[in-house]
Amino acid sequence: MNNKLFRRIFIIYAVIVLIAGFFTEIYITSTVRDNYIGNLREHLAGESRLIANDLSFDRKNLDGFCKEIKDKIHARVTIILSDGKVVGDSDRESATMDNHSNRTEIEQAANFGAGMVIRYSDTFKYDFLYVATQVTQNGIDKGFIRLAVPLRDVDHSINLLRVKIILVVLIVLLVTWGVSVWQTDHLRRLLRQIVDFSRSLSKGEIEKRLFLKEAGEFTEIADNLTAMSVKLQEMMARSEEEKNRLNVILRSVPDALLIIDARGRVALSSTSVRDFFGDVYAAGARFAEVVRNHEFTALIEKVREDRAAGMAQFTIESPSEKFLAVRVSPLFYGKDELSGFVAVFHDITEIKKLEQVRKDFVANVSHELKTPITAIKGFADTLLDGALVDRENAVRFIETIRSNSERINALVDDLMTISKIELGVIKVEKTLTDVQGVFDNVAELFKTKAVAKNLFLSIAADSSFPQVEADKNRLLQILTNLVDNAIKFTESGGVTFGIDRGSDGRPFLFVEDTGIGVPAKFLPRLGERFFRVDPARSRKMGGTGLGLAIVKHLVKAHGWSMKVESVQGKGTKVKITL
C-alpha cells in the first residue's frame, strides 16, 4: 500500500486546520476591533456630553477652546453649528474649513442625537473614528460637538494578534504532520498485512492465517478474519449448492413462488411476489404475514397433514383485488422428513372476470329477449284463438307484436354494434370535423321530440373550437345516443349540448339536461351493458340498456375519456374530454 491514502488524510486535516485558523483569525480580530471601537465610541460620547455642559457657542476664539480640550482628552475636537458651519477646531483654522452638514456623523447626530463613522484619511493614510453629539441648550439645538481619534494603534495591535494566530496554526500543522508520519507508518504496515491476507482469501487461498503483533484494535479484526477463513470453504460449498437449486426452481416457475420452511417462515420468494401481494419483505417473515388469507393457511395445514400437494382458489383485497389459484406441494430434503412447502400462485383475475361477464351477458340477453318474445307469442296465440275477427283489437295486437319485434331488432343491432367495435370491424378514422355541422344535425333530429315534451334544445359551442379530430359518423352516433337519453329522462326544462374548454385548456364535448338525475351510488355503473337505473321506466321508453355502453366504447376507440356528473332531481352532465 502506498502513501497516497495517508497523504490525502493529512492534506484534508491540514486544509481543515488552515480554514479553521483563517476563520478564527477573522472572527477574533474582527471581534477585538469591534469591541475596542465600541468602547472608544462610548468614551468619546461621554467626553462630548461633558464638553457640552461647559460649551458656549457665543464664546470667541472657539479654536483655542478646542485646543485646550484636545490637550486634556487627546482627541481632535470640532464645534459645528446646526447649519453645518465649523466655528471651532483643535487642528485647523475653523474659518478655512468646509461646511460639515453633509458629513455622515453630523447627519446621524441631527436625526438621532448622536452619530459615529469610521473614515479613511487620505492625508494620514489610516482610519479615524468620528463621534458627533448634538448639543441642546434650553430646548434649542445649538449645534454639534465632534471628537475624532486615529485608529492606527488599534490596527497595529490587530496585526500583531493576526501574526500570533498564524504562528499557532503553523505550529499545529507541524505537530500534526510529525504525529501523522509516525502513525501512518504503523497503520500502513498493519493494513498491508490485512490487505495481503484478504487478497489471498479472494483468490481462494483459504488455508492461510493472519497474525498481527502490537496491533491494538486490529487484533480483533485479524482473529475474525482467521475464523472466517476456516469456515469460508464450507459456507461457499453450501452456498453454491443452494444457489444452483434455487436458480433451477425460480427459472422453472413463471408465477409468484414462495418456499416456506417447516416452521412456517418464508425461506425464499420470487420477484413476482411483490406484484401479487404488495411491497412486502417476504424473506424471514411468516407466510401468513405475506399472504393474508385463511384459505391459504388452511391449505398449508392440510398439505402438512396429508404430505400431499393441494390446490385452492381465493380472493385477496390488497394491494388490489385479485383472484388467485395456488398449488402447494410438500418439500422433502431428507427421506420422509418434511422440510417445508413450495407454493405457486397463478393470477386468474381476468379469467374470473371474463366468466362473470359471460354469465351476466347471457343472463341479461335472456332477460331482455324474454319479455318481448313472450309478448309476441301471447298476442299471436290470442289472434290465432279467434281475435282476428275482432278487427279493432286485432290491429292493436298486431301493433304490439310489431313494437316488440322492433325492440328485439334494436337490441340485436346494438349488440352487433358493440361486438363490431370490440372486434375492430368498426374502425374509427379521425379527420378534421366541423363540430357545428354535427351539432346542427343532432338538433334537427331531436327538435320534434323536444317540442313534443315542451323542452328546450340548445347548442352551446365555444367558437375557438370550430373543428376537432374525430370520426364524423361515430361522433354523430355518440351525441345522438346522449341527447336521446337526456330527452327521455327530462320532464321539464331542457337539454344543452356543445363544446367547451376545461380549466386545463383542453376541449370537451358535453350534454347537459335538467332531468331526474342519477343517484350517486349508480354513477360508477353507467356504461355497463344492460344497466338501467330505472329498468321499468327505461323499457317503457324503448331503451335497450346498451346506449351508454356503445357511447363508452366509441369514446374509448377515439382515445377520449368520459365522465358523468349528476345530482338526483336536478339533472345530469356527460363530459367527453378530447
Side-chain angles (χ1 to χ4, degrees):
M1 177 179 292
N2 55 37
N3 297 327
K4 291 183 178 179
L5 173 62
F6 298 98
R7 187 182 299 117
R8 286 198 298 268
I9 294 174
F10 172 75
I11 292 173
I12 291 172
Y13 278 104
V15 171
I16 292 173
V17 171
L18 288 174
I19 293 174
F22 174 75
F23 284 105
T24 300
E25 182 270 328
I26 292 177
Y27 175 78
I28 292 176
T29 55
S30 176
T31 302
V32 170
R33 192 173 193 271
D34 291 343
N35 288 339
Y36 183 88
I37 291 174
N39 293 332
L40 186 57
R41 176 188 176 185
E42 294 297 325
H43 174 72
L44 293 178
E47 295 287 352
S48 297
R49 288 191 291 271
L50 293 176
I51 296 170
N53 293 333
D54 299 328
L55 176 62
S56 173
F57 282 82
D58 298 327
R59 177 186 295 182
K60 294 181 179 181
N61 191 19
L62 285 174
D63 285 349
F65 174 78
C66 292
K67 291 176 181 178
E68 292 175 3
I69 298 299
K70 179 180 179 180
D71 293 337
K72 296 177 181 180
I73 66 173
H74 305 291
R76 180 181 177 181
V77 181
T78 305
I79 300 174
I80 305 164
L81 295 179
S82 297
D83 59 358
K85 180 181 178 182
V86 179
V87 294
D89 189 88
S90 61
D91 291 7
R92 295 176 58 185
E93 290 293 330
S94 59
T96 63
M97 297 177 68
D98 296 335
N99 189 288
H100 280 37
S101 61
N102 61 347
R103 299 296 174 93
T104 303
E105 66 274 14
I106 300 302
E107 291 177 346
Q108 292 177 358
N111 292 325
F112 307 104
M116 187 274 286
V117 71
I118 297 174
R119 192 161 48 241
Y120 182 79
S121 172
D122 293 329
T123 302
F124 296 98
K125 303 302 180 183
Y126 50 80
D127 292 336
F128 273 76
L129 171 65
Y130 294 90
V131 176
T133 304
Q134 189 174 41
V135 179
T136 303
Q137 295 176 351
N138 299 324
I140 300 173
D141 296 333
K142 293 291 187 176
F144 308 89
I145 294 176
R146 187 185 70 176
L147 303 181
V149 293
L151 298 179
R152 177 180 52 194
D153 295 336
V154 176
D155 293 336
H156 179 70
S157 299
I158 294 300
N159 289 333
L160 289 177
L161 179 61
R162 184 176 290 113
V163 170
K164 292 178 180 179
I165 293 174
I166 293 172
L167 288 175
V168 170
V169 171
L170 291 176
I171 292 171
V172 171
L173 282 176
L174 289 174
V175 173
T176 302
W177 177 79
V179 173
S180 64
V181 169
W182 172 77
Q183 188 66 22
T184 296
D185 183 71
H186 181 63
L187 292 176
R188 186 170 61 251
R189 286 187 285 104
L190 295 176
L191 288 177
R192 167 59 65 185
Q193 296 179 60
I194 294 174
V195 169
D196 291 341
F197 181 75
S198 62
R199 186 177 291 119
S200 298
L201 292 182
S202 66
K203 294 178 180 179
E205 300 172 1
I206 306 175
E207 69 281 357
K208 288 189 175 183
R209 300 292 181 265
L210 177 62
F211 301 98
L212 298 178
K213 295 181 180 181
E214 299 178 358
E217 292 82 3
F218 286 94
T219 302
E220 184 177 355
I221 297 177
D223 294 339
N224 291 337
L225 288 174
T226 300
M228 181 182 68
S229 67
V230 174
K231 299 180 181 179
L232 187 58
Q233 190 171 11
E234 178 184 352
M235 293 176 59
M236 289 178 62
R238 186 165 59 250
S239 176
E240 189 66 24
E241 181 183 355
E242 292 290 336
K243 179 181 177 181
N244 293 334
R245 182 188 303 157
L246 296 178
N247 284 337
V248 170
I249 294 173
L250 290 177
R251 282 197 300 268
S252 63
V253 178
D255 293 317
L257 176 143
L258 291 178
I259 296 180
I260 305 169
D261 62 22
R263 298 176 301 165
R265 294 191 176 275
V266 177
L268 183 69
S269 63
S270 63
T271 55
S272 56
V273 167
R274 291 178 179 268
D275 298 331
F276 277 64
F277 306 109
D279 191 12
V280 295
Y281 187 77
R286 297 192 63 81
F287 72 84
E289 297 174 359
V290 179
V291 185
R292 300 179 181 275
N293 183 272
H294 66 89
E295 295 173 1
F296 178 67
T297 302
L299 178 60
I300 291 288
E301 295 303 321
K302 185 175 184 300
V303 172
R304 186 191 299 274
E305 293 177 4
D306 298 344
R307 301 294 180 97
M311 296 187 65
Q313 293 184 5
F314 57 88
T315 305
I316 60 172
E317 303 294 335
S318 178
S320 60
E321 185 179 12
K322 289 187 179 71
F323 294 93
L324 301 179
V326 59
R327 178 181 177 85
V328 178
S329 302
L331 188 62
F332 299 97
Y333 289 154
K335 185 178 181 181
D336 297 330
E337 181 180 352
L338 182 65
S339 302
F341 311 90
V342 177
V344 182
F345 300 86
H346 302 275
D347 188 351
I348 59 172
T349 304
E350 292 302 321
I351 296 175
K352 286 289 185 181
K353 287 183 178 180
L354 288 174
E355 288 180 356
Q356 188 61 42
V357 169
R358 179 181 59 80
K359 291 178 182 178
D360 291 344
F361 179 75
V362 172
N364 287 325
V365 169
S366 300
H367 181 74
E368 293 295 333
L369 291 175
K370 183 177 181 180
T371 300
I373 289 175
T374 300
I376 291 172
K377 182 177 183 303
F379 283 109
D381 289 342
T382 302
L383 289 171
L384 291 174
D385 288 342
L388 283 171
V389 298
D390 185 352
R391 183 171 181 79
E392 181 179 351
N393 286 324
V395 172
R396 182 167 57 86
F397 291 164
I398 293 173
E399 286 292 338
T400 302
I401 291 173
R402 184 175 69 177
S403 174
N404 281 278
S405 65
E406 289 175 350
R407 180 178 172 187
I408 293 174
N409 187 60
L411 179 63
V412 172
D413 286 344
D414 285 349
L415 287 172
M416 289 292 292
T417 299
I418 291 177
S419 297
K420 288 177 180 179
I421 295 172
E422 290 179 338
L423 294 173
V425 176
I426 296 179
K427 296 186 180 296
V428 171
E429 298 180 359
K430 290 185 178 182
T431 58
L432 280 176
T433 302
D434 177 15
V435 290
Q436 188 60 50
V438 175
F439 294 156
D440 292 339
N441 287 342
V442 174
E444 186 65 28
L445 283 173
F446 293 100
K447 180 172 64 176
T448 303
K449 190 173 183 179
V451 171
K453 295 186 70 174
N454 292 323
L455 303 176
F456 68 80
L457 183 63
S458 62
I459 301 173
D462 188 332
S463 59
S464 60
F465 298 108
Q467 294 179 320
V468 296
E469 284 278 349
D471 185 314
K472 183 177 180 180
N473 293 329
R474 304 308 165 200
L475 178 59
L476 183 63
Q477 188 175 5
I478 290 171
L479 292 175
T480 299
N481 278 336
L482 292 178
V483 173
D484 185 34
N485 271 351
I487 293 175
K488 282 180 182 178
F489 296 100
T490 302
E491 300 300 330
S492 62
V495 177
T496 304
F497 65 96
I499 188 170
D500 201 354
R501 184 191 301 272
S503 58
D504 58 356
R506 296 172 61 189
F508 65 88
L509 300 168
F510 70 93
V511 177
E512 186 174 11
D513 62 58
T514 59
I516 60 176
V518 179
K521 65 180 180 178
F522 293 134
L523 287 177
R525 298 195 61 189
L526 294 180
E528 292 182 11
R529 299 176 184 180
F530 299 110
F531 175 75
R532 298 181 177 92
V533 176
D534 187 350
R537 179 188 178 97
S538 179
R539 289 193 183 95
K540 183 179 179 181
M541 293 180 177
T544 64
L546 295 172
L548 271 181
I550 294 173
V551 169
K552 184 177 179 181
H553 279 73
L554 290 175
V555 167
K556 185 177 180 181
H558 275 83
W560 301 338
S561 61
M562 184 175 74
K563 181 180 180 182
V564 182
E565 301 171 352
S566 184
V567 178
Q568 193 172 6
K570 294 186 177 181
T572 302
K573 184 175 184 178
V574 180
K575 295 172 63 176
I576 300 173
T577 303
L578 309 184

